[in-house]
């Protein structure tokens, strides 16, 4: 069977019901990687933060790949799935997500990995296109005031005026 027919069958019929083999795993990870890269590109296009982190885009790609790999493993063996559920239940993420849009991209990346891992890559592609449309429309029409940052450097003058001698004592040290 040629590559085009294999890819078409995987996109239309899925690969969740078949036994896992190396080509199936490679196909799943490849499709998930392409979707993850697409999500990172959309994030980079839409992100208007002054401080953009390159690692966040990379984490979107790797998060979708890791998720699809876990789903592939879970669906192929019941014993392994119970072990993974136990192992993953102890993971706790301590990094706070400050921007709600970043959280949307995290969930998008995770859901794309789950959908691809379950064998429904076409659904992941269609959902990703729909998400892109919604996010771009929101980004284009959502008018938000830019955050303004004011930095005041007084060189101790205000401290001297408020505290008097305490400010002078501090400068003498």
């Amino acid at each position: 069977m040629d590559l085009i027919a294999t890819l078409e069958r995987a996109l239309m019929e899925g690969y969740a019901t078949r036994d896992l083999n190396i080509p199936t795993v490679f196909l799943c990870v490849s499709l998930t990687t392409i979707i993850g890269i697409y999500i990172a590109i959309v994030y980079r296009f839409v992100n208007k933060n002054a401080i953009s982190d390159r690692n966040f885009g990379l984490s979107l790609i790797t998060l979708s790949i890791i998720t699809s790999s876990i789903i592939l493993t879970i669906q192929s063996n019941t014993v392994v799935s119970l072990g993974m559920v136990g192992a993953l239940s102890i993971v706790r993420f301590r990094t706070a997500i400050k921007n709600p849009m970043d959280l949307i991209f995290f969930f998008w990346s995770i859901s794309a990995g789950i959908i691809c891992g379950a064998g429904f890559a076409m659904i992941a592609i269609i959902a990703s296109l729909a998400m892109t449309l919604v996010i771009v429309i929101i980004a284009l029409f959502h008018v938000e005031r830019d955050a303004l940052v004011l930095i005041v450097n007084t060189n101790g003058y205000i401290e001297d005026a408020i505290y008097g001698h305490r400010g002078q004592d501090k400068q003498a040290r």
Side-chain angles (χ1 to χ4, degrees):
M1 186 177 294
D2 62 339
L3 180 65
I4 302 296
T6 304
L7 186 61
E8 183 178 317
R9 191 178 78 210
L11 287 174
M12 300 313 262
E13 298 172 16
Y15 40 81
T17 57
R18 290 183 272 163
D19 291 333
L20 287 181
N21 52 28
I22 298 299
T24 303
V25 172
F26 182 74
L27 180 64
C28 174
V29 171
S30 299
L31 290 171
T32 307
T33 303
I34 291 168
I35 293 172
I37 290 170
Y38 176 77
I39 293 170
I41 290 170
V42 172
Y43 174 77
R44 182 131 176 132
F45 174 74
V46 174
N47 185 22
K48 301 292 185 202
N49 294 343
I51 305 169
S52 75
D53 190 6
R54 180 177 176 260
N55 291 331
F56 187 81
L58 293 175
S59 68
L60 291 174
I61 299 168
T62 56
L63 190 60
S64 60
I65 296 169
I66 291 167
T67 307
S68 69
S69 301
I70 290 171
I71 296 299
L72 272 175
T73 306
I74 286 174
Q75 74 178 0
S76 67
N77 190 334
T78 308
V79 175
V80 173
S81 69
L82 293 174
M84 278 200 177
V85 168
L88 293 174
S89 67
I90 64 172
V91 175
R92 181 176 173 194
F93 298 101
R94 295 178 184 249
T95 304
I97 304 294
K98 294 178 180 46
N99 186 355
M101 202 63 164
D102 291 350
L103 193 60
I104 289 172
F105 278 93
F106 265 136
F107 279 124
W108 182 9
S109 182
I110 291 169
S111 64
I114 291 171
I115 294 168
C116 284
F120 302 106
M122 185 55 78
I123 295 173
I125 292 169
I126 293 169
S128 293
L129 293 174
M131 281 294 300
T132 303
L133 182 66
V134 169
I135 288 172
V136 167
I137 289 172
I138 290 171
L140 290 177
F141 293 110
H142 183 68
V143 179
E144 185 177 299
R145 289 182 15 173
D146 292 333
L148 301 175
V149 178
L150 175 65
I151 299 174
V152 178
N153 186 358
T154 64
N155 291 329
Y157 295 120
I158 293 177
E159 190 175 81
D160 289 343
I162 294 173
Y163 297 113
H165 64 84
R166 276 199 251 172
Q168 293 168 357
D169 290 341
K170 187 176 179 183
Q171 290 175 355
R173 286 188 227 166

